[in-house]
Amino acid sequence: MSTTVIAQSNAASPSMPLRIVRQAKRLKPALWIAPFALFFYLFQLAPMGWVFINSFIYEGEFVLDNYIEVLDSTFMMQAFGNSLWLAVWSSLFGLMIATLLVSSLRRIHSKLRDAVIAFTNMSSNFSGVPLAFAFIIILGTNGAITLLLKQYGLLGSFDLYGQWGLLVIYIYFQIPLAVLLLYPAFDALSDDWQAAASLLGAKTWQYWAKVALPVLSPALLGTFIILVANAIGAYASVYALTSGNYNIITIRIASLVSGDLFLEPNLAAAISVVLMAMLAFITVINQWLISKSYAGKKSHAKR
């Protein structure tokens, strides 16, 4: 009897090699993701850790003097202000233009739509020094469009190398990114909704205000945050256009780690930490707004 029970238990329980094979199959996805995890650590977590630790080092001591210097400096606060001004306004204008563009793309022929999306994808990678050079040729002091508009008296005191000129460049490289991010979100809208709204007597603006935009609000908010982060981190185009003479935060960080006069990497690290904290705060607010939006949709659906 006991021999029979032992034989049945041995047959029911898998052998040791079979267990090892099963465990190896379970660990296979983790092995595939290990290179990505290593890459993420080396190029994301490790640099962030270095920046955070070194931001507290001042003349060999672990203190808060770097942060005090950043927050007490009018010049640094102006750099933060300029960066935020360019980021917020370029994101708003870029988001509005991209929303209109994507809404129009849904109603045109598929081949033309695919061509526009392909061009948008290509133009989203056109940035940095080539973008600055293109704008200098077109809208610079002696640019083609600048001279043409001045000839007809249509251009006043526009300066490509100033605040408003930089805003134009920022809006330009924000639009393609916003289009690529918003295009899938518009699949949530059904053409039947607008037809039903019109049958009920709603006008086009009422449909967008009460139906389309509430449905798209999570995607719009998320895209806005990504655009803000993209604009705050912009460096090459502004530097190539102004030679580092316009005061934004990325140029200040670069001047402290690669300047010709003096190097202060610990101060640059403190500025970077403040910038990361600012972006983290904006992201938390965005996630809170998105959660409120989803909660509102669920309660509306229950009703």
Side-chain angles (χ1 to χ4, degrees):
M1 181 69 179
S2 61
T3 307
T4 306
V5 172
I6 294 172
Q8 289 178 352
S9 63
N10 288 336
S13 61
S15 60
M16 185 62 67
L18 186 59
R19 289 181 182 178
I20 295 175
V21 171
R22 289 180 179 178
Q23 291 179 357
K25 287 182 178 180
R26 291 176 183 175
L27 292 175
K28 188 176 180 180
L31 293 175
W32 282 109
I33 205 173
F36 173 77
L38 179 62
F39 181 85
F40 182 76
Y41 170 76
L42 292 176
F43 294 95
Q44 291 288 336
L45 297 181
M48 288 177 63
W50 183 94
V51 167
F52 183 77
I53 293 173
N54 281 269
S55 66
F56 293 97
I57 298 176
Y58 183 81
E59 295 182 354
E61 298 181 0
F62 203 75
V63 291
L64 295 173
D65 289 24
N66 290 319
Y67 290 98
I68 295 173
E69 183 175 349
V70 171
L71 298 177
D72 286 344
S73 173
T74 305
F75 191 58
M76 292 298 178
M77 290 298 101
Q78 183 191 47
F80 277 106
N82 290 339
S83 294
L84 281 175
W85 188 89
L86 288 170
V88 171
W89 284 110
S90 66
S91 299
L92 286 174
F93 283 115
L95 188 62
M96 288 189 293
I97 296 171
T99 303
L100 294 174
L101 180 58
V102 174
S103 176
S104 301
L105 284 176
R106 287 174 51 85
R107 291 169 171 77
I108 62 176
H109 193 268
S110 60
K111 291 185 178 180
L112 180 59
R113 181 171 61 245
D114 293 342
V116 173
I117 293 298
F119 175 77
T120 303
N121 191 14
M122 179 189 67
S123 59
S124 65
N125 296 309
F126 184 68
S127 59
V129 178
L131 177 62
F133 180 68
F135 267 85
I136 290 172
I137 294 175
I138 297 172
L139 289 173
T141 305
N142 295 314
I145 296 180
T146 302
L147 295 177
L148 182 64
L149 293 177
K150 284 184 177 180
Q151 183 179 355
Y152 292 98
L154 299 176
L155 190 65
S157 58
F158 175 78
D159 182 15
L160 179 64
Y161 311 101
Q163 187 180 41
W164 295 103
L166 290 175
L167 180 61
V168 172
I169 292 181
Y170 272 64
I171 293 173
Y172 174 83
F173 68 70
Q174 295 279 55
I175 293 174
L177 179 59
V179 169
L180 294 176
L181 293 173
L182 286 178
Y183 185 77
F186 270 73
D187 291 336
L189 296 180
S190 174
D191 294 334
D192 295 336
W193 295 353
Q194 188 169 4
S198 62
L199 287 174
L200 293 173
K203 297 180 181 179
T204 303
W205 68 268
Q206 290 176 321
Y207 162 75
W208 279 99
K210 296 184 178 181
V211 179
L213 289 180
V215 171
L216 294 172
S217 57
L220 293 173
L221 290 172
T223 302
F224 176 76
I225 294 302
I226 293 175
L227 293 180
V228 169
N230 182 53
I232 288 181
Y235 168 73
S237 298
V238 182
Y239 186 83
L241 193 67
T242 64
S243 300
N245 294 322
Y246 191 78
N247 190 22
I248 63 172
I249 200 61
T250 50
I251 289 180
R252 294 283 66 80
I253 293 173
S255 66
L256 291 171
V257 297
S258 61
D260 296 330
L261 299 178
F262 54 89
L263 301 178
E264 295 187 56
N266 296 327
L267 181 60
I271 299 173
S272 301
V273 171
V274 174
L275 185 60
M276 287 189 291
M278 184 189 305
L279 291 175
F281 174 75
I282 296 173
T283 303
V284 169
I285 295 297
N286 171 68
Q287 293 300 321
W288 179 77
L289 292 173
I290 289 176
S291 64
K292 286 290 184 181
S293 177
Y294 279 123
K297 289 179 184 177
K298 290 180 180 179
S299 63
H300 182 71
K302 290 180 181 179
R303 291 175 187 175

